[in-house]
Each structure stands twice: as structure tokens, then as C-alpha cells.
Amino acid sequence: MLPYKNLIIIDKNSEVPIYKQISLQFIDLIQEGKLLPGSKLPSTRSLALDLHLHRKTIMAVYETLVSEDWIDSQPRKGYIVSPNLPVVRPRSYHKKISPFSTKGKFDFDRREIIHFTFNTDSKNNIIIDDGFPDTSLLPFTTINKEFRKSLDKVITKDNSKYVLDSAGFKNSLQTFLNQTRGIDFSFENLFITRGGQMAIYLAASLIIKPGDKVVVTDPSYFIADALFEKLGADIIRVPVDDQGMRTDILEDILKKQNIKLIYVIPHHHHPTTVTMSVERRNHLLELINIYNPAVIEDDYDYDFQFKYDPYLPLASGDHNGNIIYIGSLTKVLGTPFRLGYMIATEEFLAAVSKLRILIDLKGDLIIEQTVAAMINSGDLARHIQKTNKIYSQRCDLLCNLLNEELNDYINYSKPSGGLALWLTFKPKYELSKIIKHTHENGLSVKSNFYCTGKNAHYNSFRFGFASMEEKKIRDAVHILKNSVKKMY
Amino acid sequence: MLPYKNLIIIDKNSEVPIYKQISLQFIDLIQEGKLLPGSKLPSTRSLALDLHLHRKTIMAVYETLVSEDWIDSQPRKGYIVSPNLPVVRPRSYHKKISPFSTKGKFDFDRREIIHFTFNTDSKNNIIIDDGFPDTSLLPFTTINKEFRKSLDKVITKDNSKYVLDSAGFKNSLQTFLNQTRGIDFSFENLFITRGGQMAIYLAASLIIKPGDKVVVTDPSYFIADALFEKLGADIIRVPVDDQGMRTDILEDILKKQNIKLIYVIPHHHHPTTVTMSVERRNHLLELINIYNPAVIEDDYDYDFQFKYDPYLPLASGDHNGNIIYIGSLTKVLGTPFRLGYMIATEEFLAAVSKLRILIDLKGDLIIEQTVAAMINSGDLARHIQKTNKIYSQRCDLLCNLLNEELNDYINYSKPSGGLALWLTFKPKYELSKIIKHTHENGLSVKSNFYCTGKNAHYNSFRFGFASMEEKKIRDAVHILKNSVKKMY
């Protein structure tokens, strides 16, 4: 309820009757959009109490407003502002304009850092995403059960609630990471974030000063690019080939320039899905030991291997504490479970944890506890195993269809795992136009496509097959094929 | 499982038998902490396949390891690393040190911005918090039911999942805010964050450049202070009295200096709980219209009124788009439900939404949907009403006890609502010492206390009564009284 006591002003010296004064002020409130159509009004008794008036005065107010169709009386329910009033916008009735509809006079950072747009209305189209898991495969009953238990644990009133923090989840996650990644680290080297992106944000924000030189691959993960740009970095791009980052070119750069940070995705590179070879990894580790840049290893995709045959992360090697290892469970569980982690030196994490407090205080205890339970019970490992098989089948299907239907128009390498395939169209076939055409014909590419502006030469996009059932993959390739055939 | 294919190296030209080479490498892996006690080993068959060796060779490996007590054989289960091994740390066996145990060589922002420490081990003590809700009062069954529905909606596989965003929650929240705050704003003026702190972080990060002058109250919310400091602001402090911020002093400052941002908490000021009077609010709005600084109105505590008698937010007045209004549902629902919001001009929110993507991509869809359902059903409003009554009783009790037990030692003003009371000890009674004494005697003050360093002159702390049952409040005051009596 609005605070009528402070809003309604009564002038006892006025010639206008009090009931009329109040009625007019109610009409003002309705016209100004402060009292919306359908809103409940206080009872005559409580409003009379609030305004220190006789109940009869308030009844006269309401009768007036009812007779003028501003409010309705509902039997046994009281009075409401009439739902049938035209949509109330101050401009319609008053000269008054919402202060938020102006531009505001203060200055702020207006740089357009992010150059992509996420949304294209495509309700009925098949959608190709950037490489997200199929959340319909999640063990719904288990998650719900664990959530219920976690909710209970977190909101139960007892002293132990005050020591509730991420420790339990950290323990479970540490075990999980120990079993899968061969990285030698302690509990104090682990920090939990809301997803991999937050970990990148925290690390980059502490490391990069405006003007600092940051090495990324060409191409790279576009959101990380935008972040480094926002922080004022001078971005230097190193090409990738089928073995990953060109560490020979990186070495030349390191010899001549003072590189503050290297951002690298050795495993299932984003966007190209290439996995860095052993030689390049060893070379990179050598360079790290000689030149001591900060290194962010973004290992977002480690858990997805079609045949279990990954290279161990760079962070499992000798890197002198220069590597900040970042991973994410969001690729495993889906966007509702935004959990990431950073493995780094204790010194660095002390600064990370303080910055994190300034951003959003802390993470989601309920979600963390839920996932911790799933790690401990083995449900997470089972889920990874099950979905890996399914994603592998979907990848196989996609590759077969691409070979059958689009062979003359495309190049691609089958990824060794993961949720997406990097699909390149031969230069003659302009992908930006193809995507527009398929959008009109039932297929929307909502993944990261590199075919416009300074990225035009890639002429590629990520085909996120993992979240698509067989029929959708078939239909998608079919529509692609038809569009290309019609256009060329 | 570890990727043995890449880890185990076989030298066919060596004099050392292959089974021995492999056994030694397994022992290395165990000693380096890459294979932990209790870990499952691959079957002889699958390892043989991976290493392209005869199964008999692998059986010889495992027999060797069993005989030397490195691994155990479990009937029908296979082989595991012996759980009875001593805790394996590289230093114990190898000279090898975890790369994360070093300090790292790269430079990063080492400024100590946050000067408080959150954790004091106090497992069995009564704890006084900074003013948090009593989560045991939450409608657990309702929340669980709504969460289940939200989980289902969010992870179900259909095309509509791709347009799942905060829109539904925004709609519900907009209705809730319209009904309670009298602020005139559109859907486009509303942005959802993970708690009020994230909203402050986003707004301040876009507005403050190093060297910019920022006005805050003295005292103010310490986390906001730390944030502004981190962003390089030149912080100017304006005193508060029993009417709130001294807007006369603010006016002098605005006349002489170029103020970029004013951070103000007009309702239940943090930490002092004072509510800004109507005169000061009107004066502040005048100043905003003349000088056009950016203004962050932190309205974290609006929903808690003991008698429903609040002043409307500054943002409901005429501010020319200069006010960024920030609120939070975390005070209502508790820390597991980290939901905040920002009302600002569309232009500003365009920049806010892009920066947010760089930080953590997006919010918690499941939590948002759950709370949206509670708003729509009226459960949220009922919860606020119920808890307001209980918090009001707890506040009354605390005030009576303070009057009875500690009257000679303290000053305080009973707050008009909210979750905490600002308790000041007369200068003779050093709060920093009292708090140490009570900590040894069963009472830990974990709220924000202003009694050390440059804050010593306040000699005050926030007594978060809302989360404490009657007996705890009695015991807490009792312990305080005893400590003071013993010390003075």
C-alpha cells in the first residue's frame, strides 16, 4: 500500500470540502501512475485512521471516485482502482514526465565494447547455439531432491548457519578436479565463482591496467576480448592453426614487447575447437618460465571428451605460479547452474576474494550445496559420462550429414570432444548472407558467427550440436543445404 | 580417470622391462598427488587397449603394485590406489613443489581495499549480525514447490527455452515496486542484478574514473566505500545527524567542487539507521536539479516498516534522470536469494547490461522464476507483512532490555523499521575492548562495528535483532551488561 498518510495533504482552511480535496489527490495519484489500475485501496476505516478523519469523510471520497469511474467497489473485497482505465502514462493526462524517461545529465562510460547482439526473434525456428549442454538430460529428480536438502540446510536456524560458506562445495570440487585434471593444488588455491566468465573478469580486472599489452589468439573468445578492451588493454593477436596457438609467433612477440597477460584456451579452443598439441604446450610452458607473464588458461571444455584422451592442462605443468587456471561447471550442467572456479596462488586469490566481495558479496549457497551433493554421490560423473556418449553420437551424425550434404561448400575438422563444431564455408559462399537466408527459412544461427566486419575472412560459425536432438540436426543441415543451393 | 595414454611413456629400447617402467610411473603419479589414495584404476583390459600392450603386461604391472602395497585389489570391483597410504604431498617424496605454492612473478593490483575481516571462529557463541532476516521464517514448502516448477520450466527442452530471460521476473518485480514505492518508471528502466551490491558495483564502475570526487556520508556503508576507493575515487565525507545527511554541508561542497557522484541511503541509513527527513530530501532534490551529479540512492531497507509510514524514495521525485535507484530482495528473503534491481534511464541501463555480461553473463533464472511466482501469488507480500510484525516485536524487546540493563552506558535511537539498531556506547566505555570481552564470554559481534582506527570515535555497532529469537536477544544483552560491569 502507498503511504497515504504522507501523500494526502489536507488544507483545513480551504473552501474546497475535505472529501473533495482527497478525491482530487487520489485522481492525481492514479493519473501519475503511482496508483495503478487494479490496485487495492485501503479500507475506509484504516484510511480514516491514517488521515485522522471521520470514516464518513472517507466513504464520501470513495463514493465520489466510484461515481466518476475511477475506482470500483467489490463486494466483501473492498475498493480497487478500476482495471478498465486506459493505460495511465503521465504524458496522457499531466505534463509530468517520468524522470527516468530523460537522458540524465551525468557522464558515464559510454564505450560500445560489446559489438554483438544476442537476440533475434526466432520463436519457431530451429536454433543453433554456441555449444551448450542439453539440459533435458539432467537428472531432474536428483537435482530437485538435493536442492530441497540444500535449501533446508541453508535456511535452518542454527549457529552453524553462520559458518555456511563455500567450503563444503570447495572440498567436493577439489576432489573432482584432482581425479580428472592432474593439477597439483591445495584447498587454498581454489576459488569458487559464478561461472567461468566471473573468474576471467576477476583475474583480468586485477592484472590489466590501461595500456597493458595482452596477447590473445586470432580468433578468440569474443566476450573475453570485450572485457580486455574495456579494461584498456592493448590487444595483440596471435594466429592459431591446426595445432593451436602459434607459439613461435608468440615467442617473437615476447622477445620484443612487455606482455602483461596471455589468454589461452588450449583445450577445444573457442571458437575453432582446435586442441593445442603437446609440442606447442611444452613450448608455451618454456616461454612462461622465461618471460613470466600472467597467463589465464581458460579450460571451459575439459570435461567433454568423446574418447577419453585429453592432454593435461597447462596448469599441471611447471609454470612458477604464473598460470591462473579457470574452469566451469556450466558447460556440464547448463546455464541455471552458474558455477566456475579458479586455481591460482594463494596470494593472488587473496586479492580475488576481496574484489569478489565488492562485486556481489558471495555466490549461491543453495546451488553450490546441490552440486556438491551431486559430486559426492557420483551423479555428476555419471551425468558427464552419459552426456559425453550422447554428444559424441550427435557429433558423428552432424559430421556424416555435413559430408553428405554440404561437402562442396565447407571445411571443418571434427572436434575431439565438446559441444560445438567450427564450420567454415569456402570463401565463395558468403556466410553472413546464408545465415540471413536460413533465418527466413526456419533456421536461426544464434551461436558466435565470424563472418562480418573485421571477422569476415573467417566465414565460419560454431555449430552447437550438443543441445540438438537428431531430427533437429538433420533439419538444420537440410535447411542450410537448401539455402546454399538456392543462393549459389 | 587420468589420461594414461598420454601419461605413461614406454621406452621399448630400455633394458628395464616394460611392466617395470609402467609400475614406476604409476608410483610417480601416486607420489606426485596426481593419483590419490582410494582412486579407481582402469581395468587391465582397458589400460592394455590404451597403451597398445598385451593384457598380461598390465596384469604384471598391477601385481607388482599390489605386492608393494601401492594398490589394492577389490573382488569384482577392480583395482584402487590403497586408501591407507600416508597423505601424499609432493614435498614428502619428491623435490617437486606445486607451482601454485609459489608467489607467482606477474604483477597485479595488491591494494588492500577491504580493511575488515569477516571471520572469527565463534561456533557456540550467540552471534549478533549486521541486520539480516530470519530465514527460518521463510515459507519453506512454498519455496520448494516454486523452485521445482521453475527448475522444470528452465531446463525443459523446447524452443521457448531460448527466450528465457529475466523478463517474467522483471514484470512481477515491476508490479511489486509500483505498488510500494510510488516511483514512475517503465519496464525498460528496470535492470535485475544479483543483489544490491552488484547494482552498486555496476553503476559505480561506469560512473567513476580515477580522481573523480564522490560524496558519501560519514559514516557510510563500508563495502560501498571500499568499492569507490578501488575505482580510484577521491572520497568526500558529509556528516549525518538525526535528520540524515547534512545537505547544507553538501551544498557548500557542490558550490565549490565538481562532484561526480553522490551515494546516499535516505531510508534507514547504513550504519546509523537514521531516516532522512522530508526537508533534507527536498533540499537534496533541489541540489540534484541544480548541480546534476550522478546519485546512487541505495534503498536496501525499504520493505521493512514497523508502522507503515515511509517516506517515498528520492527517485519518486523530480530528479532529471540523475538518480540511480537501487534496491534488494536479499534483505527480505535472506542471503540464498541474492536478487537486486536498479531503476535508471534506459541509456544508462544499456551500458549497465553490457558491463554485466562481462562480469557473469546473466543471473539465476531458477531463483528469479521462484521469486517471481512468490510475488505473483502474494506470498512475498504476506512474508514481508509477517516478518515485519515479528521484527517489530524483537526491536521492542531489545529496546526495553537496553533501557533496563545498559541505560547508563549507551545511547541509541529506536529505528522506525529495518533489521538492526545502531547502538552507541558512551565514550568512557571502549567498545573495541567490550567486544573482545563478550567474545570470550559467549557473544560474538559479527556486525559492522565502528570502534577501531579512524572509526574509533563512533564507538558503535549495529545490533541485528531481526534474526534473533527472544531468548538470544535477552542472553546477548545480559552478556553485554556483564562484560561492561566487569570491565568498568
Side-chain angles (χ1 to χ4, degrees), chain A residues 1-3 5-7 32 34 36 90 98-100 102-110 112 114 118 123-125 127 129 134-136 138 140 143-144 147-148 151-152 154-155 157 159 162-163 178-179 182-185 189 194 197-198 201 206-207 223 226-227 230 260 292-294 308-312 315-317 319-324 336 338 343-345 347-348 351 354-355 357-364 366 467 469, chain B residues 1-3 5-7 34 36 90 96 98-100 102-110 112 114 118 123-125 127 129 134-136 138 140 143-144 147-148 151-152 154-155 157 159 162-163 178-179 182-185 189 194 197-198 201 206-207 223 226-227 230 260 292-294 308-312 315-324 336 338 343-345 347-348 351 354-355 357-364 366 467 469:
Chain A
M1 290 278 181
L2 288 178
K5 200 167 172 180
N6 286 352
L7 285 172
E32 287 164 20
K34 288 190 163 86
L36 292 172
S98 161
F100 290 105
T102 73
K103 284 233 168 204
K105 300 257 171 39
F106 60 87
D107 195 26
F108 62 91
D109 185 353
R110 286 179 166 80
E112 282 283 339
I114 299 189
F118 270 134
K123 269 252 162 70
N124 293 317
N125 279 1
I127 291 166
D129 64 40
D134 184 346
T135 50
S136 74
L138 284 171
F140 177 75
I143 291 174
N144 205 66
F147 177 82
R148 190 187 181 102
L151 181 68
D152 187 48
V154 171
I155 72 179
K157 186 170 194 62
N159 246 2
Y162 294 105
V163 299
N178 274 324
Q179 285 169 352
I183 301 174
D184 183 11
F185 70 101
N189 298 125
R194 270 198 85 246
Q197 183 59 32
M198 180 179 266
Y201 183 87
L206 286 168
I207 293 170
I223 295 185
L227 170 60
K230 169 130 191 99
K260 190 72 188 291
N292 291 304
Y308 199 81
D309 196 13
Y311 300 99
L312 288 180
S316 69
H319 55 82
N320 254 335
N322 287 315
I323 289 184
I324 296 146
R338 195 156 293 285
I343 300 175
T345 63
E347 189 199 24
F348 189 69
K354 296 249 166 110
L355 175 57
I357 291 172
L358 299 184
I359 292 175
D360 67 345
L361 297 185
K362 60 175 80 165
D364 263 305
I366 297 178
S467 61
E469 285 158 357
Chain B
M1 291 278 183
L2 289 178
K5 200 166 172 176
N6 286 351
L7 286 172
K34 289 189 160 89
L36 292 172
K96 227 174 160 219
S98 161
F100 290 106
T102 74
K103 284 230 168 206
K105 300 257 170 41
F106 61 87
D107 196 28
F108 63 91
D109 186 352
R110 286 180 166 80
E112 282 283 339
I114 299 188
F118 270 136
K123 270 249 159 75
N124 294 317
N125 279 0
I127 292 168
D129 63 42
D134 184 346
T135 51
S136 74
L138 283 171
F140 177 74
I143 291 173
N144 204 67
F147 176 82
R148 188 185 184 104
L151 179 67
D152 187 47
V154 169
I155 74 177
K157 186 170 191 65
N159 246 2
Y162 294 105
V163 299
N178 273 325
Q179 286 167 352
I183 301 174
D184 183 10
F185 70 100
N189 299 125
R194 270 199 84 243
Q197 182 59 33
M198 179 179 268
Y201 183 89
L206 285 168
I207 293 169
I223 296 187
L227 170 60
K230 170 131 188 101
K260 190 73 188 290
N292 291 304
Y308 200 80
D309 196 12
Y311 301 100
L312 289 179
S316 68
D318 287 319
H319 56 81
N320 252 335
N322 287 315
I323 288 183
I324 296 148
R338 194 158 294 283
I343 301 175
T345 63
E347 187 199 27
F348 189 68
K354 296 249 165 108
L355 175 56
I357 291 173
L358 300 184
I359 292 174
D360 67 345
L361 297 185
K362 62 177 75 167
D364 264 309
I366 297 178
S467 60
E469 283 159 358

Side-chain angles (χ1 to χ4, degrees), chain B residues 313-344:
Chain B
L314 290 171
S316 68
D318 287 319
H319 56 81
N320 252 335
N322 287 315
I323 288 183
I324 296 148
Y325 178 83
I326 285 172
S328 164
L329 287 174
T330 314
K331 289 290 173 195
V332 174
L333 293 168
T335 47
F337 299 89
R338 194 158 294 283
L339 286 171
Y341 45 88
M342 188 189 307
I343 301 175

Side-chain angles (χ1 to χ4, degrees), chain A residues 1-7 34 42 46-47 49-51, chain B residues 176-183 267-268 299 301-313 325 381 384-385 388-389 392 416-417:
Chain A
M1 290 278 181
L2 288 178
Y4 297 99
K5 200 167 172 180
N6 286 352
L7 285 172
K34 288 190 163 86
S46 69
L47 186 57
L49 263 166
D50 266 358
L51 300 180
Chain B
F176 172 77
L177 295 176
N178 273 325
Q179 286 167 352
T180 51
R181 283 149 169 81
I183 301 174
H267 193 75
H268 299 163
D299 207 13
D301 214 29
Y302 186 84
D303 297 294
F304 292 106
Q305 323 294 339
F306 295 152
K307 316 163 288 166
Y308 200 80
D309 196 12
Y311 301 100
L312 289 179
Y325 178 83
I384 292 174
Q385 208 180 14
N388 252 331
K389 282 204 191 100
S392 178
S416 63

